[in-house]
Amino acid sequence: LQSPILRQRHWKQLIRVTGSNLLSEADIRVGDMLALNLTLHAREVEDLVQGAEKESEIEAQLSKIEKEWAQLELSFVRAETGQHILQPP
C-alpha cells in the first residue's frame, strides 16, 4: 500500500472494500492501518494493487506512444480516385 502507483481512486476503492472512513492516504497512520483489518480483505486488497500496477503499465505505454506519435508527420495525397491516401515516407 506504500506504492506510488496507488492513486486517489484506488484509495477510494480501499475505503469502500474495508468499510473505513479514511479521507485519503495522507490521513493514514499506523493505527489506522491496523484498524482496517486488511487481513480480512487480503484478496480484495491484492486485486486492487494488481489492478493499479496494470493501470500504471498501460499509462506508461500510452505515454510512450504519445511521445513517438507526436514526432511523426503524416502526409496525404489525392489518389486518381479522388480519395486521400497516406503518402509513404
Side-chain angles (χ1 to χ4, degrees):
L1 293 177
Q2 295 179 5
S3 176
I5 63 171
L6 292 177
R7 307 281 170 93
Q8 187 67 28
R9 65 180 177 269
H10 302 118
W11 285 99
K12 287 179 181 178
Q13 287 178 303
L14 180 65
I15 289 166
R16 194 170 41 247
V17 165
T18 61
S20 166
N21 61 357
L22 297 173
L23 298 175
S24 73
E25 70 274 17
D27 298 327
I28 296 178
R29 295 181 179 79
V30 174
D32 297 327
M33 292 297 289
L34 295 173
L36 290 176
N37 291 319
L38 293 176
T39 55
L40 298 176
H41 309 283
R43 184 67 192 160
E44 292 92 344
V45 172
E46 183 180 338
D47 289 346
L48 187 146
V49 172
Q50 287 176 350
E53 289 171 347
K54 289 177 184 175
E55 289 174 14
S56 179
E57 290 171 13
I58 291 169
E59 289 170 359
Q61 287 296 324
L62 283 174
S63 178
K64 181 180 172 185
I65 291 169
E66 285 176 346
K67 287 177 185 175
E68 289 176 6
W69 277 81
Q71 299 173 16
L72 294 178
E73 186 174 314
L74 302 177
S75 300
F76 295 87
V77 295
R78 185 178 294 269
E80 291 177 9
T81 61
Q83 296 179 339
H84 288 89
I85 58 172
L86 185 61
Q87 184 176 6

